[in-house]
Structure formats: structure tokens, C-alpha cells
Amino acid sequence: MGETSVTLIGLVVGLLFGLSGIATLLSLMGDVVSDAQTQLSQLGMASTLVMLVIALILIIKVRVLSALIVGAIIGAVLNLFLQASGINILEILRAAVFGT
């Protein structure tokens, strides 16, 4: 029971830090979008639409990449702490999924 509660606490903390990191990155990207929109509004209408579409595609790619990086870093750190405590999270998840 003790290992399961530590694992659940680690999972919740990881999710909270992950969501916080992603929210921060999305906030920064929102600022970039508003600045890009301001600059694009000064250009012609056709080029503005083309540039806005390109900017949105790049921003979506950056969001996905940043979310993956933040998740990987937090997951690695939590796994390191759990391994130091003698808890193997992969074995616990494998047992939970496959019921062995």
C-alpha cells in the first residue's frame, strides 16, 4: 500500500508540474501570436493571411515539441526519484495493465 501511494503522489505531482510548465509555454506562445498578429496587420491583406497561417503552423509545432520536452524532463526526474526510493514505476504500470 505504501509503494502505491508514493507512486500515485509522484504521478499527481508530475502531472501538476507538467501542466504548469505547459501552461507557461502556452502563455509565452500566446504573447508571440499577439505580437505576430500586430506586425502582420501592418502588411497587405493577402500576405497577412499567408504569414498568419505559417505562423500558426510553426506555433502548433513548437507547442507540441515543448510539451513533449517538458513531459520527458519531468518524467525522467520523477523516475529518477522513484528509482532512488526503490520503486520501479514501469513494473507497477506493466502489472496494472497486464494484470500480472
Side-chain angles (χ1 to χ4, degrees):
M1 181 70 178
E3 289 183 14
T4 305
S5 61
V6 170
T7 302
L8 291 175
I9 290 170
L11 180 66
V12 169
V13 169
L15 286 174
L16 291 176
F17 280 119
L19 291 176
S20 174
I22 291 170
T24 302
L25 291 172
L26 292 179
S27 173
L28 292 174
M29 293 309 296
D31 294 341
V32 169
V33 169
S34 65
D35 290 342
Q37 183 180 7
T38 303
Q39 291 177 357
L40 289 175
S41 66
Q42 297 171 356
L43 299 173
M45 188 59 156
S47 62
T48 301
L49 292 176
V50 171
M51 295 292 278
L52 188 59
V53 168
I54 292 171
L56 288 175
I57 291 171
L58 289 174
I59 288 169
I60 290 171
K61 286 183 180 181
V62 169
R63 283 183 180 177
V64 170
L65 184 63
S66 63
L68 290 174
I69 290 171
V70 168
I73 291 171
I74 290 173
V77 170
L78 285 175
N79 191 29
L80 180 68
F81 287 134
L82 289 174
Q83 288 291 331
S85 300
I87 300 171
N88 192 347
I89 190 71
L90 294 177
E91 292 298 323
I92 294 171
L93 289 175
R94 186 177 298 131
V97 170
F98 296 116
T100 57

